[in-house]
Amino acid sequence: AQKITQTQPGMFVQEKEAVTLDCTYDTSDPSYGLFWYKQPSSGEMIFLIYQGSYDQQNATEGRYSLNFQKARKSANLVISASQLGDSAMYFCAMREYSGNFNKFYFGSGTKLNVKP
Amino acid sequence: GAVVSQHPSWVICKSGTSVKIECRSLDFQATTMFWYRQFPKQSLMLMATSNEGSKATYEQGVEKDKFLINHASLTLSTLTVTSAHPEDSSFYICSAQGLAGASYEQYFGPGTRLTVT
Protein backbone atom coordinates (compact mmCIF):
# COMPACT_ATOMS: atom_id res chain seq x y z
CA ALA A 1 0.00 0.00 0.00
CA GLN A 2 1.09 3.54 -0.68
CA LYS A 3 2.37 5.28 2.40
CA ILE A 4 1.66 8.75 1.07
CA THR A 5 -1.01 9.57 -1.49
CA GLN A 6 -1.37 12.84 -3.30
CA THR A 7 -4.35 12.60 -5.62
CA GLN A 8 -3.93 15.92 -7.42
CA PRO A 9 -1.23 15.73 -10.09
CA GLY A 10 -1.87 19.35 -11.01
CA MET A 11 -3.71 22.32 -9.59
CA PHE A 12 -4.44 25.84 -10.76
CA VAL A 13 -5.17 28.76 -8.46
CA GLN A 14 -5.73 32.43 -9.07
CA GLU A 15 -3.19 34.77 -7.56
CA LYS A 16 -4.18 35.98 -4.07
CA GLU A 17 -6.60 33.11 -3.54
CA ALA A 18 -6.14 30.22 -1.15
CA VAL A 19 -5.48 26.68 -2.31
CA THR A 20 -5.54 23.30 -0.59
CA LEU A 21 -3.23 20.49 -1.63
CA ASP A 22 -4.40 17.07 -0.52
CA CYS A 23 -2.33 14.42 1.21
CA THR A 24 -3.37 11.19 2.89
CA TYR A 25 -1.06 8.79 4.61
CA ASP A 26 -1.02 5.23 5.80
CA THR A 27 0.76 4.09 8.93
CA SER A 28 0.17 1.93 11.96
CA ASP A 29 2.97 3.63 13.83
CA PRO A 30 1.62 5.86 16.63
CA SER A 31 4.59 8.19 16.34
CA TYR A 32 5.23 9.86 13.02
CA GLY A 33 5.87 13.20 11.41
CA LEU A 34 4.33 14.78 8.35
CA PHE A 35 6.15 17.22 6.10
CA TRP A 36 5.48 19.39 3.12
CA TYR A 37 8.21 20.39 0.70
CA LYS A 38 8.22 22.75 -2.25
CA GLN A 39 10.33 21.97 -5.28
CA PRO A 40 10.66 24.79 -7.81
CA SER A 41 12.00 24.17 -11.30
CA SER A 42 15.54 24.61 -10.00
CA GLY A 43 15.14 21.26 -8.24
CA GLU A 44 15.99 22.15 -4.66
CA MET A 45 13.70 20.80 -1.97
CA ILE A 46 12.43 23.55 0.29
CA PHE A 47 10.99 22.58 3.66
CA LEU A 48 7.66 24.29 4.31
CA ILE A 49 5.96 22.87 7.35
CA TYR A 50 6.00 20.00 9.82
CA GLN A 51 3.28 18.30 11.90
CA GLY A 52 4.01 15.71 14.55
CA SER A 53 1.48 12.97 15.18
CA TYR A 54 1.09 14.04 18.81
CA ASP A 55 0.75 17.73 18.08
CA GLN A 56 -2.61 18.96 19.24
CA GLN A 57 -2.74 22.04 17.09
CA ASN A 58 -2.43 22.36 13.35
CA ALA A 59 0.96 23.61 12.28
CA THR A 60 1.24 27.04 10.70
CA GLU A 61 4.18 28.79 9.07
CA GLY A 62 3.36 32.15 7.58
CA ARG A 63 1.05 31.61 4.62
CA TYR A 64 1.26 27.84 5.01
CA SER A 65 -0.93 25.83 7.32
CA LEU A 66 -1.39 22.12 7.67
CA ASN A 67 -4.91 20.81 8.09
CA PHE A 68 -4.18 17.73 10.18
CA GLN A 69 -7.06 15.29 10.55
CA LYS A 70 -5.58 12.35 12.37
CA ALA A 71 -8.62 10.08 12.32
CA ARG A 72 -8.89 10.49 8.57
CA LYS A 73 -5.12 10.25 8.14
CA SER A 74 -4.97 13.37 6.10
CA ALA A 75 -2.51 16.24 6.18
CA ASN A 76 -3.59 18.80 3.64
CA LEU A 77 -1.48 21.86 2.95
CA VAL A 78 -3.28 25.17 2.75
CA ILE A 79 -1.55 28.07 1.06
CA SER A 80 -3.27 31.37 1.68
CA ALA A 81 -2.99 34.42 -0.58
CA SER A 82 -1.21 32.58 -3.38
CA GLN A 83 1.67 34.30 -5.09
CA LEU A 84 3.16 33.73 -8.53
CA GLY A 85 6.30 32.44 -6.83
CA ASP A 86 4.29 29.63 -5.29
CA SER A 87 4.16 27.88 -8.67
CA ALA A 88 6.13 24.68 -8.11
CA MET A 89 5.85 20.99 -7.29
CA TYR A 90 4.71 20.22 -3.78
CA PHE A 91 5.51 16.98 -2.03
CA CYS A 92 3.95 15.54 1.09
CA ALA A 93 6.20 13.25 3.11
CA MET A 94 6.02 11.13 6.22
CA ARG A 95 8.56 9.79 8.64
CA GLU A 96 7.79 6.95 11.03
CA TYR A 97 9.66 7.18 14.32
CA SER A 98 9.12 3.79 15.88
CA GLY A 99 9.89 1.50 12.99
CA ASN A 100 12.48 2.25 10.37
CA PHE A 101 13.49 5.58 11.81
CA ASN A 102 15.53 6.63 8.89
CA LYS A 103 12.92 6.22 6.22
CA PHE A 104 11.13 9.08 4.57
CA TYR A 105 8.15 8.34 2.37
CA PHE A 106 7.27 10.84 -0.33
CA GLY A 107 4.05 11.28 -2.23
CA SER A 108 3.95 11.61 -6.00
CA GLY A 109 3.62 15.37 -5.82
CA THR A 110 1.21 18.08 -6.95
CA LYS A 111 2.20 20.66 -9.51
CA LEU A 112 0.72 24.00 -8.54
CA ASN A 113 0.29 26.76 -11.08
CA VAL A 114 -0.62 30.21 -9.84
CA LYS A 115 -2.34 32.32 -12.48
CA PRO A 116 -1.94 36.10 -12.54
CA GLY B 1 19.54 27.50 8.83
CA ALA B 2 21.54 24.38 8.09
CA VAL B 3 23.11 24.23 4.66
CA VAL B 4 23.81 21.18 2.55
CA SER B 5 25.79 21.48 -0.65
CA GLN B 6 26.20 19.11 -3.57
CA HIS B 7 28.93 19.04 -6.12
CA PRO B 8 28.75 19.08 -9.04
CA SER B 9 25.35 20.65 -9.68
CA TRP B 10 25.29 19.05 -13.08
CA VAL B 11 27.49 16.62 -14.96
CA ILE B 12 27.57 15.04 -18.38
CA CYS B 13 29.55 11.88 -18.82
CA LYS B 14 30.04 9.18 -21.39
CA SER B 15 28.56 5.74 -21.07
CA GLY B 16 30.88 3.39 -19.20
CA THR B 17 32.60 6.02 -17.10
CA SER B 18 32.13 6.62 -13.37
CA VAL B 19 30.87 9.78 -11.75
CA LYS B 20 31.25 10.90 -8.15
CA ILE B 21 28.78 13.23 -6.48
CA GLU B 22 29.62 14.89 -3.18
CA CYS B 23 27.20 15.89 -0.48
CA ARG B 24 28.45 18.15 2.30
CA SER B 25 26.84 19.55 5.41
CA LEU B 26 28.41 22.98 5.67
CA ASP B 27 27.53 24.16 9.13
CA PHE B 28 26.52 21.10 11.09
CA GLN B 29 27.55 17.51 11.61
CA ALA B 30 25.44 14.97 9.79
CA THR B 31 25.23 11.57 11.40
CA THR B 32 22.99 10.30 8.65
CA MET B 33 22.76 11.19 5.00
CA PHE B 34 20.20 10.04 2.50
CA TRP B 35 20.50 9.69 -1.24
CA TYR B 36 17.48 10.08 -3.49
CA ARG B 37 16.90 9.76 -7.16
CA GLN B 38 14.25 11.68 -9.02
CA PHE B 39 13.14 11.12 -12.59
CA PRO B 40 11.44 13.96 -14.48
CA LYS B 41 8.00 14.77 -13.14
CA GLN B 42 8.22 12.01 -10.56
CA SER B 43 8.69 11.85 -6.84
CA LEU B 44 11.88 11.31 -4.90
CA MET B 45 12.91 7.70 -4.56
CA LEU B 46 15.13 6.83 -1.62
CA MET B 47 18.18 4.94 -2.82
CA ALA B 48 20.16 4.48 0.36
CA THR B 49 20.81 5.69 3.87
CA SER B 50 24.35 6.22 5.01
CA ASN B 51 25.61 6.59 8.55
CA GLU B 52 29.02 8.00 9.23
CA GLY B 53 31.63 5.30 9.55
CA SER B 54 29.41 2.40 8.56
CA LYS B 55 28.14 0.77 5.41
CA ALA B 56 25.19 2.28 3.65
CA THR B 57 21.78 0.64 3.77
CA TYR B 58 20.36 0.30 0.28
CA GLU B 59 16.71 0.19 -0.63
CA GLN B 60 15.35 -2.82 -2.40
CA GLY B 61 16.15 -2.79 -6.09
CA VAL B 62 19.12 -0.43 -5.82
CA GLU B 63 22.38 -2.03 -6.97
CA LYS B 64 25.03 -1.65 -4.31
CA ASP B 65 27.88 -2.28 -6.71
CA LYS B 66 26.63 0.31 -9.13
CA PHE B 67 25.84 3.08 -6.68
CA LEU B 68 28.72 3.21 -4.24
CA ILE B 69 28.10 5.31 -1.17
CA ASN B 70 30.76 6.42 1.25
CA HIS B 71 30.19 8.46 4.41
CA ALA B 72 33.71 8.92 5.67
CA SER B 73 33.15 11.93 7.87
CA LEU B 74 30.36 13.74 9.68
CA THR B 75 30.23 16.37 6.95
CA LEU B 76 30.75 14.43 3.73
CA SER B 77 29.03 11.62 1.89
CA THR B 78 29.75 10.61 -1.69
CA LEU B 79 27.74 8.73 -4.26
CA THR B 80 29.68 7.15 -7.11
CA VAL B 81 27.77 5.95 -10.12
CA THR B 82 30.00 3.28 -11.61
CA SER B 83 29.98 2.31 -15.28
CA ALA B 84 27.22 4.79 -15.95
CA HIS B 85 24.63 4.11 -18.62
CA PRO B 86 22.05 6.42 -20.20
CA GLU B 87 19.33 4.97 -17.97
CA ASP B 88 21.27 6.30 -14.96
CA SER B 89 20.56 9.83 -16.16
CA SER B 90 18.55 11.41 -13.40
CA PHE B 91 18.43 14.07 -10.72
CA TYR B 92 20.23 12.94 -7.58
CA ILE B 93 19.46 14.66 -4.28
CA CYS B 94 21.07 14.14 -0.92
CA SER B 95 19.77 15.13 2.46
CA ALA B 96 21.41 15.25 5.84
CA GLN B 97 20.20 14.78 9.36
CA GLY B 98 21.96 16.78 12.03
CA LEU B 99 23.80 15.41 15.03
CA ALA B 100 22.02 17.57 17.54
CA GLY B 101 19.04 18.72 15.58
CA ALA B 102 15.41 18.07 16.29
CA SER B 103 14.23 14.65 15.34
CA TYR B 104 12.46 15.97 12.29
CA GLU B 105 15.25 18.02 10.82
CA GLN B 106 16.46 16.82 7.46
CA TYR B 107 18.13 19.26 5.15
CA PHE B 108 18.26 18.77 1.41
CA GLY B 109 21.05 19.58 -0.97
CA PRO B 110 20.32 21.42 -4.22
CA GLY B 111 20.64 18.25 -6.30
CA THR B 112 22.91 17.03 -9.07
CA ARG B 113 21.66 16.50 -12.59
CA LEU B 114 23.45 13.62 -14.26
CA THR B 115 23.27 13.06 -17.99
CA VAL B 116 24.94 9.99 -19.45
CA THR B 117 25.50 10.08 -23.19
Side-chain angles (χ1 to χ4, degrees):
Chain A
Q2 288 273 31
K3 286 282 189 179
I4 295 285
T5 302
Q6 292 180 255
T7 58
Q8 305 154 314
M11 289 277 287
F12 284 90
V13 65
Q14 200 70 37
E15 191 179 9
K16 299 180 185 177
E17 291 185 352
V19 63
T20 299
L21 306 184
D22 295 342
C23 172
T24 57
Y25 58 92
D26 180 29
T27 182
S28 56
D29 197 322
S31 180
Y32 54 90
L34 297 158
F35 305 74
W36 277 92
Y37 291 89
K38 172 184 178 181
Q39 187 180 41
S41 56
S42 59
E44 60 184 310
M45 294 289 284
I46 302 169
F47 167 75
L48 297 178
I49 197 165
Y50 166 83
Q51 178 88 40
S53 59
Y54 294 118
D55 293 343
Q56 295 294 318
Q57 305 225 352
N58 286 346
T60 60
E61 288 285 348
R63 293 187 299 112
Y64 305 108
S65 60
L66 200 152
N67 185 1
F68 182 44
Q69 297 189 38
K70 195 170 182 176
R72 298 177 62 179
K73 294 189 175 178
S74 76
N76 298 340
L77 175 71
V78 181
I79 305 175
S80 62
S82 299
Q83 302 172 356
L84 295 178
D86 293 335
S87 294
M89 280 290 288
Y90 288 81
F91 291 99
C92 179
M94 177 179 68
R95 190 173 196 177
E96 294 170 328
Y97 293 122
S98 301
N100 189 336
F101 178 78
N102 284 326
K103 209 156 186 174
F104 248 62
Y105 301 93
F106 280 88
S108 54
T110 296
K111 186 168 175 58
L112 177 66
N113 284 292
V114 180
K115 298 187 292 184
Chain B
V3 178
V4 175
S5 70
Q6 276 184 246
H7 178 79
S9 55
W10 59 271
V11 58
I12 301 172
C13 70
K14 291 189 176 179
S15 190
T17 62
S18 295
V19 175
K20 181 186 282 188
I21 302 170
E22 293 185 348
C23 177
R24 291 181 185 272
S25 56
L26 299 184
D27 52 1
F28 68 102
Q29 293 181 320
T31 50
T32 305
M33 286 185 171
F34 306 87
W35 286 95
Y36 296 87
R37 183 174 182 176
Q38 186 180 31
F39 290 108
K41 299 183 180 180
Q42 292 190 24
S43 188
L44 279 71
M45 183 187 75
L46 180 65
M47 298 175 67
T49 303
S50 77
N51 294 296
E52 184 265 337
S54 60
K55 289 184 179 179
T57 302
Y58 289 80
E59 293 300 303
Q60 195 172 12
V62 178
E63 298 176 60
K64 301 178 185 181
D65 296 331
K66 182 165 186 62
F67 299 99
L68 301 179
I69 290 172
N70 183 274
H71 193 162
S73 76
L74 285 171
T75 60
L76 174 64
S77 177
T78 60
L79 166 68
T80 302
V81 183
T82 62
S83 187
H85 290 285
E87 57 264 30
D88 298 325
S89 299
S90 189
F91 191 57
Y92 293 87
I93 305 175
C94 74
S95 70
Q97 177 178 303
L99 183 65
S103 61
Y104 60 82
E105 289 181 0
Q106 184 175 151
Y107 304 98
F108 284 85
T112 297
R113 196 164 299 281
L114 170 64
T115 302
V116 184
T117 60

